[in-house]
Amino acid sequence: MVEQKRYALFLATLDSEFVKKTYGGYHNVFVTTFGDEGEHWDSFRVVSGEFPDDKDLEKYDGFVISGSSHDAFENHDWILKLCDIVKKIDEMKKKILGICFGHQIIARVRGGTVGRARKGPELKLGDITIVKDAITPGSYFGNEIPDSMAIIKCHQDEVLVLPETAKVLAYSTNYEVEMFSIEDHLFCIQGHPEYNKEILFEIVDRVLAQGFVKQEFADAAKATMENREADRKLWETICKNFLKGRVPTN
């Protein structure tokens, strides 16, 4: 019998009412995007202080760290604890996929610097340029490495200084570090491969209602998805290949 693969999802955000009602929570959004039939996925709501015991880290094949409305450079107890646990997983050389806040946490743990985005926040569908020379053909990207990829962006912070050992895999007009990797076990994405148009629009409406953004900003954000979608299938494939250690045959 093949041993069941186990993954842990570190949720650094609470479920919005919309996500609860539509998807049953962010756990389901992530597992639908990155999970496969027959796998076991555990969620830990790290933002609420839920963490696995150190002794249980060994049983997981990989980890995913979600986005958050918190800043990865803050020193809240749960953020420091998350940094500590990421350090342990990194030392075990287990795979970690860092998304948005998760991408920044991994940069911080590895000695990089994270701070407010120098060119301001982003809430939109945007294109990132792939650094093809930095990607080994036949790695989790497959043999057909795209020139650019569309991804939903929702952040106000960025990686300002990369950890010494990191390789930039993508950049954009506004951000120097859209995606990076360290060795074979850390893969970090500033955008949200798990988001779809519905989730983006609901976030836009929510931050507008809370007065965090102006109407023009909200309209511009929605306009980016009027006639096009994110490359979700491609993101899903790349992230799954990374997490599961698969080498695609295309």
Side-chain angles (χ1 to χ4, degrees):
M1 195 177 122
V2 181
E3 202 178 325
Q4 191 182 36
K5 289 228 170 200
R6 295 180 76 99
Y7 295 92
L9 172 59
F10 292 161
L11 287 168
T13 186
L14 299 171
D15 291 332
S16 68
E17 284 310 312
F18 167 78
V19 164
K20 262 193 267 195
K21 202 172 73 197
T22 316
Y23 304 102
Y26 273 121
H27 172 89
N28 294 345
V29 172
F30 278 93
V31 177
T32 306
T33 311
F34 304 128
D36 282 311
E37 193 79 34
E39 293 172 347
H40 181 88
W41 282 74
D42 289 324
S43 273
F44 297 91
R45 187 79 62 176
V46 295
V47 69
S48 307
E50 275 177 36
F51 288 90
D53 287 340
D54 286 359
K55 64 175 181 354
D56 291 334
L57 296 175
E58 193 51 66
K59 68 182 186 192
Y60 293 106
D61 294 284
F63 299 81
V64 177
I65 309 172
S66 81
S68 179
S69 56
H70 290 270
D71 300 318
F73 51 82
E74 289 174 342
N75 290 319
H76 297 310
D77 288 350
W78 71 270
I79 291 180
L80 296 177
K81 172 132 197 199
L82 178 61
C83 287
D84 187 48
I85 217 159
V86 166
K87 203 176 221 152
K88 289 180 177 129
I89 299 166
D90 178 20
E91 282 161 7
M92 296 162 92
K93 300 275 189 255
K94 286 192 175 276
K95 288 183 180 283
I96 313 177
L97 171 63
I99 292 166
C100 199
F101 170 85
H103 151 101
Q104 295 162 8
I105 284 287
I106 291 171
R108 173 180 176 171
V109 166
R110 273 303 196 111
T113 310
V114 179
R116 276 285 176 266
R118 289 162 291 197
K119 292 190 176 171
E122 269 189 328
L123 190 55
K124 64 175 194 177
L125 177 69
D127 293 299
I128 65 173
T129 305
I130 308 296
V131 184
K132 293 171 101 164
D133 293 352
I135 296 163
T136 318
S139 66
Y140 38 92
F141 277 82
N143 290 319
E144 295 294 317
I145 301 165
D147 292 316
S148 70
M149 288 173 72
I151 192 165
I152 292 173
K153 311 287 292 301
C154 176
H155 65 112
Q156 60 175 2
D157 300 336
E158 69 172 316
V159 174
L160 300 168
V161 181
L162 259 186
E164 268 177 38
T165 46
K167 256 196 320 194
V168 175
L169 303 180
Y171 61 90
S172 66
T173 332
N174 288 346
Y175 302 94
E176 288 165 23
V177 185
E178 287 283 4
M179 184 161 65
F180 73 90
S181 65
I182 297 177
E183 296 165 40
D184 293 329
H185 64 289
L186 303 176
F187 180 44
C188 304
I189 304 164
Q190 178 58 71
H192 285 271
E194 81 286 10
Y195 278 5
N196 57 23
K197 184 176 181 173
E198 262 191 325
I199 292 175
L200 174 70
F201 279 27
E202 194 272 332
I203 291 170
V204 172
D205 291 341
R206 195 157 22 105
V207 294
L208 178 64
Q210 290 165 333
F212 292 132
V213 299
K214 299 257 190 305
Q215 188 68 53
E216 306 84 90
F217 188 88
D219 293 344
K222 288 186 174 183
T224 61
M225 290 203 79
E226 232 158 66
N227 304 311
R228 55 192 295 246
E229 293 282 336
D231 291 318
R232 288 195 65 210
K233 272 283 159 251
L234 187 50
W235 281 113
E236 201 175 288
T237 304
I238 291 167
C239 294
K240 280 184 176 185
N241 286 344
F242 162 74
L243 273 175
K244 290 133 211 233
R246 288 187 200 138
V247 177
T249 49
N250 66 349

